[in-house]
Amino acid sequence: MPDVTIDSVREELHKLLDYVPAAEVPAAQRFLQSLVDPVDLALLNAPPDDEPETPEEQAAVEAALADPASDAPFGQIRRSGL
C-alpha cells in the first residue's frame, strides 16, 4: 500500500472534483468552505486592495523600515491591551 500524505490526499481531492456532477459543484463548494477557518475564508473572499497608498502610508512604511529597532516588542503591545 502506498504511503498516504497530505499532498497525495489533496491531489486525489482535486481529481475527484473533476468528476462531481455540475449540479452538485455548489454543494461541494459549500461543504469544503465549511471546513475552512472562518477568518481564512473571509480573507479568501475579500476583494483585492486596489487603493493606492497615500503619502502618509508611504511615509509610515518608510519610517518603519528605516528603524526596525523602534518597534515595540509583541509582549509589551499585548500587555498594553492594544
Side-chain angles (χ1 to χ4, degrees), residues 1-2 13 37 45-46 66:
M1 179 175 224
L13 286 170
D37 180 270
N45 289 321

Side-chain angles (χ1 to χ4, degrees), residues 2-20 32:
D3 289 333
V4 177
T5 65
I6 292 296
D7 289 337
S8 66
V9 172
R10 287 180 190 271
E11 188 175 318
E12 177 67 18
L13 286 170
H14 283 279
K15 288 178 186 177
L16 287 171
L17 187 57
D18 290 335
Y19 293 98
V20 173
L32 290 172

Side-chain angles (χ1 to χ4, degrees), residues 1-78:
M1 179 175 224
D3 289 333
V4 177
T5 65
I6 292 296
D7 289 337
S8 66
V9 172
R10 287 180 190 271
E11 188 175 318
E12 177 67 18
L13 286 170
H14 283 279
K15 288 178 186 177
L16 287 171
L17 187 57
D18 290 335
Y19 293 98
V20 173
E24 298 299 324
V25 169
Q29 180 184 23
R30 286 190 303 275
F31 174 75
L32 290 172
Q33 284 176 334
S34 73
L35 299 176
V36 177
D37 180 270
V39 174
D40 289 339
L41 186 57
L43 291 172
L44 287 171
N45 289 321
D49 181 9
D50 59 356
E51 289 184 29
E53 271 188 331
T54 65
E56 294 82 12
E57 291 169 330
Q58 290 173 350
V61 169
E62 288 171 12
L65 292 175
D67 186 13
S70 69
D71 288 346
F74 178 72
Q76 180 182 348
I77 293 171
R78 191 169 177 208

